[in-house]
Amino acid sequence: MTATDRASRTLYRTRLVVLVVAGAISVLAVLLVVGAWRNDVTIDSDKGTATAEVLSAGKLRSAVSFITPDGVTHNPALGVLYPTNLIAGQRIEVEYYKADPDVELVRVAGRDATVAIVPAGSVIVVTWLIAGPVVFWLRRKEARNA
């Protein structure tokens, strides 16, 4: 095997790795939206509402505490779904899955999986804006070596 063949094979493998990584990132972004939609469907199948207090607020996770009609206080371990623009101490309406309180699926009332579409779509677009030119450049370089 010549040095040119080895270089060409390395470029091909690199191009394949770039395509696989970009594809995997895209699939994960789509699965994020599908998971959010699935959580919404579960909540909507047996929805309860309550007023909650925001205990802590962050961009990716916000902790809340709310009391259900049976008098039980809930503090979902994973926080509330769709937590953007919340402030600690704020009182908000939440929707939760009544059938299985241990699942602790809780979302901010009025928000749903559609808020995940833009961020996930942005990740996909940026991924392919980077991967596309890299793959094109690798393909041209591979063709020159052949």
Side-chain angles (χ1 to χ4, degrees):
M1 181 180 286
T2 67
T4 304
D5 290 339
R6 272 185 261 132
S8 189
R9 180 175 263 167
T10 300
L11 290 169
Y12 172 77
R13 287 181 180 155
T14 304
R15 185 166 43 99
L16 191 60
V17 167
V18 170
L19 288 170
V20 167
V21 169
I25 290 170
S26 299
V27 167
L28 289 173
V30 169
L31 288 176
L32 176 83
V33 174
V34 170
W37 174 78
R38 185 178 160 274
N39 286 339
D40 287 344
V41 168
T42 302
I43 291 170
D44 288 337
S45 70
D46 192 13
K47 180 169 49 177
T49 59
T51 300
E53 180 180 352
V54 179
L55 303 175
S56 67
K59 290 184 179 186
L60 300 177
R61 183 181 179 281
S62 292
V64 298
S65 176
F66 65 96
I67 301 172
T68 53
D70 59 359
V72 177
T73 300
H74 292 274
N75 296 49
L78 299 176
V80 65
L81 300 173
Y82 320 122
T84 55
N85 300 325
L86 297 179
I87 301 167
Q90 182 180 12
R91 297 188 79 65
I92 59 169
E93 291 298 310
V94 294
E95 299 169 342
Y96 63 94
Y97 182 52
K98 290 191 316 186
D100 189 0
D102 295 328
V103 172
E104 297 197 23
L105 284 177
V106 182
R107 69 179 175 206
V108 176
R111 297 182 186 175
D112 60 18
T114 57
V115 301
I117 292 172
V118 170
S122 298
V123 167
I124 292 169
V125 167
V126 168
T127 297
W128 287 102
L129 283 174
I130 294 168
V134 170
V135 168
F136 179 74
W137 178 77
L138 289 168
R139 182 176 283 168
R140 284 188 64 201
K141 194 168 181 179
E142 186 181 345
R144 269 186 278 155
N145 286 349

